[in-house]
Amino acid sequence: MNLENAALPVLFPLLFLLLGLGFTVVIDPYIRQKQRRIMLFITVLCLSLIVQNLWENELFVSHSHLVLKNVLSAYGYSVRPVFLVLFLSIVWPEGKKWPAWMLAGINAALYFTSPFTKLCFEIREFDFAALWGPLWFSCILVSGVLLLWLLVLSGFRFRETRKLEQLIPVSVALVIALSVVLDMQVGMVSQPVSFLTIAIVVGSVFYYIWLHLQFVREHERDLEAAQRIRIMMTQIQPHFLFNALNTIRALYAKDLPLADRTLEDFSTYLRQNLESLSQTELIPVSKELEHTRLYAEIEGLRFPNIRVEYRIEDRDFLVPALTIQPLVENAIRHGVRGKKDGLVTVSTACESGVHRITVQDNGAGFDPKKRDSDVGAHIGLRNVRERVEQMCGGTMVLRSEIGGGTGITLNIPVGGEIGAKEKRT
C-alpha cells in the first residue's frame, strides 16, 4: 500500500530513537528507580502514539470501523498532555501533581465523550470526514498550560544549569508548538505519522538528554559534599581535639591570658573547618595561611621544639579550602614532631606563570618509592591533591629522602582557578 510505503522512511528513525531511548534509560546510573520507570512508560506511550497514528490513518483510507476510529482519535488527543504530566513527575518528584493530572483527565473526558456530545470533534459516518467541535482546542490549551508549567519548573529546579543547556527544553517546546501549526496547515490524514507525534518522540529524547545532564551535575554536587565532609573529618581528628582541649585546660592553671587567646584561636580554627563543609568556591591564599597559622600555634604549645616559618612572596591568588593546613599537619605529625629542633617552612612564590606553595620540613624523610610511603596512602594528602587538580587544574609534587626531610609543592597555574570555575559552571 502507498500509506505503508510512505510510513517506512518515517517509522524507521522514530523506532530507532525509541529503542535507543529505552536502552539508555535502563542502563543510566544517574536516574532514580521511580524516574526510570516513568521514562520507560513515556517510551511505551510514544510507541503507542505512533501505532495510533498509523491505525487511524489506515481507517481514514478504508472508511470502515467508525467506533474504532472515534476511540483512536480520542486516545491520540487524550494521551498528548499525559507526556507533559509524566515529565513534570520527573522534574518535580516531591511536588503535588494532582492539578496537572486533573487537567489531563478533563481533556481526556472531553475527547472520549465527543462521539456522543460532539464537543471536541465529530466523524461523519457516510464519508468519514472529521469535523471540529466547539471545544476542539481543549488538547492545545491543556498541553500549552502544562508545557509552560514544565518549562517554569525545569528552569527553577535546575536554575544553576549553563545558559546554553537551557536552550534544549525551550527548543523542544518551540518544535512542539511548530508541529501543531504544521498539522493544522498540512492535515493529519495526508501523512502516516503526524508532525506532533514526531515532535513528541524527538522532544522526549532531547528532553531526557537534558535531564540526564542535570542528574549528572546533581550527582557531582553530592560527591563534592561527601568529599567536603570527608575532608573535615580528616582534619578534625579526635586526638587533636582531645590534646588541644587538654593543652588549654593546663594553660588556665599557668597563663590565663595565653589560655584565653589559645581558646579563641581554637574556636576560630573549628569554625573555619566547619565552614569548609559548605565552601564550594576557592578562597584567598591569605585566608588559608591564617587557618594554617591557627593550627600551628595550637600545636606549638604542645610541641615547643617545633617552629613553623612563613616565607610568603605571593599572596594574590586563590586555593581550595583546607589545602595548606593539611600539609603542615602532615609535616608536624609525620616529619618533625619527634625532632629536637623541628622546622616546617611554608613558602609561596609566583614563577613562570605558576603559583607555587611549598611545605618543607627537616624531618627524617622517607623513601617515596616504598608503597607505604606513597602519597596516595595518606587520605589527607590525597584529598589535597584531588582538589587542587579538579578545582585549579594544578598538581602536587612530593619530594623526600631519608635524612633530608620532606617537601610537598603545589603548582597552581596562573588563572587556572578561573578556567576551572568556568568548566564547573
Side-chain angles (χ1 to χ4, degrees), residues 345-366:
T345 304
V346 180
S347 60
T348 65
C350 186
E351 303 170 352
S352 304
V354 175
H355 300 290
R356 298 193 192 280
I357 305 171
T358 301
V359 177
Q360 178 72 45
D361 67 65
N362 64 345
F366 57 86

Side-chain angles (χ1 to χ4, degrees), residues 110-239:
L110 289 174
Y111 277 98
F112 272 106
T113 57
S114 285
F116 313 104
T117 63
K118 302 178 182 179
L119 287 174
C120 294
F121 69 92
E122 174 189 2
I123 300 176
R124 293 191 306 209
E125 185 174 0
F126 64 90
D127 61 354
F128 257 47
L131 304 176
W132 295 117
L135 297 180
W136 64 271
F137 56 86
S138 171
C139 180
I140 297 176
L141 179 62
V142 170
S143 298
V145 171
L146 292 175
L147 186 58
L148 182 61
W149 189 356
L150 178 60
L151 286 175
V152 171
L153 278 179
S154 298
F156 178 77
R157 166 78 186 278
F158 305 112
R159 52 188 176 275
E160 296 181 359
T161 302
R162 298 171 186 171
K163 292 182 179 180
L164 192 60
E165 288 180 15
Q166 292 286 12
L167 293 177
I168 296 179
V170 174
S171 300
V172 170
L174 291 177
V175 169
I176 290 176
L178 178 62
S179 67
V180 173
V181 176
L182 288 174
D183 280 334
M184 296 177 68
Q185 295 294 326
V186 177
M188 297 178 62
V189 187
S190 61
Q191 55 203 20
V193 180
S194 69
F195 286 111
L196 182 55
T197 297
I198 296 173
I200 288 174
V201 173
V202 176
S204 296
V205 173
F206 276 88
Y207 199 78
Y208 168 73
I209 293 173
W210 182 76
L211 286 174
H212 174 79
L213 295 175
Q214 313 316 311
F215 295 150
V216 171
R217 189 168 288 110
E218 286 185 340
H219 180 71
E220 290 176 347
R221 282 197 292 266
D222 291 341
L223 289 179
E224 289 177 0
Q227 186 185 49
R228 288 196 298 272
I229 294 174
R230 184 179 63 176
I231 292 167
M232 189 199 72
M233 296 307 296
T234 60
Q235 301 310 314
I236 308 179
Q237 296 290 348
H239 73 271

Side-chain angles (χ1 to χ4, degrees), residues 58-323:
E58 177 66 24
L59 291 178
F60 262 126
V61 173
S62 63
H63 287 186
S64 59
H65 300 291
L66 180 63
V67 175
L68 181 58
K69 167 60 183 165
N70 276 288
V71 171
L72 289 173
S73 296
Y75 175 79
Y77 287 110
S78 300
V79 77
R80 287 162 185 167
V82 175
F83 286 96
L84 299 170
V85 180
L86 292 174
F87 274 113
L88 274 172
S89 301
I90 294 177
V91 173
W92 197 30
E94 67 281 357
K96 295 180 180 179
K97 291 167 284 293
W98 63 264
W101 283 114
M102 181 179 293
L103 286 176
I106 292 174
N107 177 74
L110 289 174
Y111 277 98
F112 272 106
T113 57
S114 285
F116 313 104
T117 63
K118 302 178 182 179
L119 287 174
C120 294
F121 69 92
E122 174 189 2
I123 300 176
R124 293 191 306 209
E125 185 174 0
F126 64 90
D127 61 354
F128 257 47
L131 304 176
W132 295 117
L135 297 180
W136 64 271
F137 56 86
S138 171
C139 180
I140 297 176
L141 179 62
V142 170
S143 298
V145 171
L146 292 175
L147 186 58
L148 182 61
W149 189 356
L150 178 60
L151 286 175
V152 171
L153 278 179
S154 298
F156 178 77
R157 166 78 186 278
F158 305 112
R159 52 188 176 275
E160 296 181 359
T161 302
R162 298 171 186 171
K163 292 182 179 180
L164 192 60
E165 288 180 15
Q166 292 286 12
L167 293 177
I168 296 179
V170 174
S171 300
V172 170
L174 291 177
V175 169
I176 290 176
L178 178 62
S179 67
V180 173
V181 176
L182 288 174
D183 280 334
M184 296 177 68
Q185 295 294 326
V186 177
M188 297 178 62
V189 187
S190 61
Q191 55 203 20
V193 180
S194 69
F195 286 111
L196 182 55
T197 297
I198 296 173
I200 288 174
V201 173
V202 176
S204 296
V205 173
F206 276 88
Y207 199 78
Y208 168 73
I209 293 173
W210 182 76
L211 286 174
H212 174 79
L213 295 175
Q214 313 316 311
F215 295 150
V216 171
R217 189 168 288 110
E218 286 185 340
H219 180 71
E220 290 176 347
R221 282 197 292 266
D222 291 341
L223 289 179
E224 289 177 0
Q227 186 185 49
R228 288 196 298 272
I229 294 174
R230 184 179 63 176
I231 292 167
M232 189 199 72
M233 296 307 296
T234 60
Q235 301 310 314
I236 308 179
Q237 296 290 348
H239 73 271
F240 175 71
L241 295 177
F242 179 78
N243 292 332
L245 290 173
N246 275 344
T247 300
I248 295 171
R249 184 176 64 178
L251 284 174
Y252 272 108
K254 299 186 300 182
D255 190 337
L256 187 59
L258 180 58
D260 287 338
R261 189 171 70 250
T262 304
L263 180 60
E264 183 178 352
D265 289 346
F266 183 62
S267 300
T268 304
Y269 172 81
L270 290 179
R271 184 175 66 252
Q272 291 177 354
N273 270 278
L274 292 173
E275 288 175 353
S276 69
L277 280 175
S278 58
Q279 184 66 52
T280 58
E281 302 296 330
L282 302 175
I283 64 172
V285 69
S286 57
K287 185 175 181 180
E288 178 62 18
L289 288 169
E290 175 62 19
H291 185 68
T292 303
R293 183 190 65 79
L294 292 173
Y295 169 80
E297 288 187 359
I298 295 172
E299 285 288 72
L301 293 173
R302 295 179 55 230
F303 304 103
N305 58 304
I306 296 174
R307 290 181 298 117
V308 179
E309 294 184 353
Y310 301 89
R311 300 172 185 173
I312 309 303
E313 300 177 7
D314 186 13
R315 298 175 180 270
D316 190 20
F317 64 102
L318 305 176
V319 296
L322 294 180
T323 303

